[in-house]
Amino acid sequence: QKEVEQNSGPLSVPEGAIASLNCTYSDRVSQSFFWYRQYSGKSPELIMSIYSNGDKEDGRFTAQLNKASQYVSLLIRDSQPSDSATYLCAVNAGSGTYKYIFGTGTRLKVLA
Amino acid sequence: KAGVTQTPRYLIKTRGQQVTLSCSPISGHRSVSWYQQTPGQGLQFLFEYFSETQRNKGNFPGRFSGRQFSNSRSEMNVSTLELGDSALYLCASSLRGFVGELFFGEGSRLTVL
């Protein structure tokens, strides 16, 4: 079983719609969760971090964490063509391990 | 504030050769980690260094090694290159490395022929 799972997509949404990206993880001791965006040919850049259950909002982005279900999601409101990229979910592998496990990413296409 | 700098950006090697990649973290960041990114496997953790100490290592063969210097700059080395080592190698810096966010460099794209 993969430690961090994401649907590879592509997820296609029309401009202005809400894009919903999902991620599940297997290690219950994980404490830190991150979403990165990676444009084609570029390196990942951090969008959101979330550490406790519930929602965290930053502009058009909302991260949601449910530790009981081992589930983290990213909502992008008012999606723009510039949001078209691969979104990587990353999970800290637990206290004292100093490493992050990345999902393989979901490719998002926002259609103008 | 300067970002994470990786050199070289592109390189081509042949099987059996070795390669050394360099990473300069964001000023003040003491944690440097390395990842290998391939289309099929995504980002795979190689190792993490903090204050010159390797704190964790991923599931890669011993041909992959790294080190960190007192100024937090880091290098990784791959010996006896194989075709499957062709990948984008990403360095990321972080303040502390385990609860902090990662800031990635542009990567070093290695092609092994």
Side-chain angles (χ1 to χ4, degrees):
Chain A
Q1 181 188 2
K2 286 186 180 178
E3 294 174 273
V4 178
E5 292 206 49
Q6 296 181 256
N7 188 318
S8 60
L11 172 66
S12 295
V13 299
E15 184 176 358
I18 296 175
S20 178
L21 305 163
N22 304 314
C23 171
T24 58
Y25 60 95
S26 60
D27 193 344
R28 287 193 169 273
V29 302
S30 298
Q31 299 175 356
S32 309
F33 308 86
F34 306 89
W35 283 99
Y36 289 83
R37 176 177 62 198
Q38 187 173 26
Y39 291 113
S40 180
K42 299 293 186 181
S43 60
E45 57 179 333
L46 180 70
I47 299 176
M48 297 277 290
S49 59
I50 186 166
Y51 303 99
S52 54
N53 280 329
D55 294 0
K56 179 182 178 182
E57 187 175 317
D58 184 0
R60 295 187 296 113
F61 299 95
T62 299
Q64 299 174 317
L65 175 62
N66 184 327
K67 290 187 179 180
S69 301
Q70 296 174 245
Y71 176 94
V72 58
S73 65
L74 179 70
L75 301 178
I76 306 175
R77 290 182 300 281
D78 189 23
S79 294
Q80 301 297 309
S82 59
D83 294 326
S84 298
T86 296
Y87 289 79
L88 302 168
C89 172
V91 176
N92 169 251
S95 178
T97 61
Y98 310 113
K99 74 175 188 180
Y100 295 82
I101 309 298
F102 281 80
T104 51
T106 297
R107 192 154 61 99
L108 173 67
K109 287 185 172 181
V110 180
L111 308 173
Chain B
K1 194 176 188 179
V4 180
T5 303
Q6 291 189 246
T7 57
R9 291 290 312 280
Y10 303 92
L11 63 168
I12 299 173
K13 294 286 186 179
T14 57
R15 279 181 299 174
Q17 288 187 308
Q18 74 165 14
V19 66
T20 299
L21 309 177
S22 179
C23 172
S24 293
I26 292 170
S27 178
H29 284 193
R30 296 166 65 188
S31 169
V32 173
S33 51
W34 289 87
Y35 289 82
Q36 181 196 66
Q37 187 174 35
T38 57
Q41 297 295 316
L43 275 103
Q44 300 290 310
F45 173 78
L46 281 156
F47 22 66
E48 189 263 357
Y49 290 89
F50 184 87
S51 293
E52 302 179 67
T53 299
Q54 185 184 88
R55 299 194 294 188
N56 209 340
K57 190 177 191 305
N59 295 325
F60 279 82
R63 302 185 296 109
F64 291 80
S65 63
R67 58 179 175 169
Q68 186 181 33
F69 302 96
S70 58
N71 61 358
S72 294
R73 190 178 70 86
S74 178
E75 290 181 346
M76 68 163 283
N77 184 77
V78 188
S79 62
T80 321
L81 284 166
E82 300 178 358
L83 295 178
D85 297 332
S86 295
L88 179 66
Y89 290 88
L90 290 161
C91 166
S93 80
S94 170
L95 267 175
R96 290 169 294 172
F98 57 93
V99 292
E101 298 89 347
L102 300 178
F103 297 88
F104 285 89
E106 290 299 312
S108 294
R109 184 165 294 281
L110 171 64
T111 301
V112 182
L113 303 176

